[in-house]
């Protein structure tokens, strides 16, 4: 009998919430995730919350660095392209090799397709010179016209990772216990899909083949969206 009463009370609560409209009880930033629109979402906020309001979208901040050929490369060169962004360092023996292998499959899929670019920022730019990155690229058969490995100012790269992508898993309390500071960078395995206006449209686990498959499916959606707009 008590269990039956509990179920009745809970049911009544949800009915009342539905009648009042839960979204009226909480601010938009809490409930906007349920207001699904068409196509891929944009991402906003520190928690990378999905939104279908393009005005709230997180974007890649302006930057310039150098690629594996020593050529100046920045956000202007990415603008107008669908980009897959990642963070790595050439001496990484942990998650990076696996992510690189998965990104090579993306490179293979799009090697003949224009308007698609992979961009990887080194988080140890003081060690990863253009020459070092070029050797890294040759060893792994990275195609220059399809995948740029970037080095440059360390503070700027960290700013991009933290402010544009929230790609740093820096935790002040935990890291201080390990003797780390904000000058240290603990990158995640996340990959980020950007549209032609450099807005984040997807976040993926670079170690998981299923997530890589989802990334390519979403890239196709962005390409289809662009083709429809051009008609």
């Amino acid at each position: 009998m008590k269990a039956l009463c509990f179920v009745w009370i809970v049911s009544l609560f949800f009915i009342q919430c539905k009648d009042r409209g839960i979204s009226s009880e909480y601010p938009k930033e809490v409930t906007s995730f349920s207001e699904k629109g068409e196509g891929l979402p944009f991402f906003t906020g520190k928690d990378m919350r999905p939104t279908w309001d393009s005005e709230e979208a997180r974007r890649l901040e302006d930057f310039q660095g150098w690629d594996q050929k020593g050529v100046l490369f920045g956000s202007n060169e990415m603008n107008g392209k669908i980009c897959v962004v990642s963070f790595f360092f050439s001496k990484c023996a942990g998650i990076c090799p696996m992510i690189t292998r998965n990104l090579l499959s993306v490179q293979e899929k799009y090697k003949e397709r224009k308007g698609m670019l992979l961009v990887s920022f080194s988080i140890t730019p003081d060690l990863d010179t253009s020459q070092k990155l070029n050797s890294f690229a040759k060893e792994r058969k990275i195609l220059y016209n399809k995948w740029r490995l970037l080095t440059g100012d360390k503070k700027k790269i960290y700013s991009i990772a933290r402010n544009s992508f929230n790609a740093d898993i820096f935790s002040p309390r935990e890291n201080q216990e390990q003797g780390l500071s904000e000058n240290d960078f603990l990158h995640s395995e996340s990959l980020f899909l950007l549209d032609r206006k450099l807005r984040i449209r997807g976040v993926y686990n670079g170690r998981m083949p299923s997530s890589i498959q989802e990334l390519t499916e979403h890239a196709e959606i962005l390409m289809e969206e662009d083709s429809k707009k051009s008609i």
Side-chain angles (χ1 to χ4, degrees), residues 26-42:
Y26 297 93
K28 182 180 178 182
E29 56 267 25
V30 174
T31 60
S32 61
F33 68 90
S34 63
E35 299 171 3
K36 184 175 181 179
E38 295 183 359
L40 295 180
F42 302 89

Side-chain angles (χ1 to χ4, degrees), residues 10 17-18 50 59 87 89 105 117 150 205 210 221-222:
V10 171
C17 287
K18 182 177 180 181
R59 302 170 186 264
F87 296 86
F89 59 104
S105 70
L117 189 65
L150 302 183
N205 189 316
S210 60
I221 291 174
L222 288 184

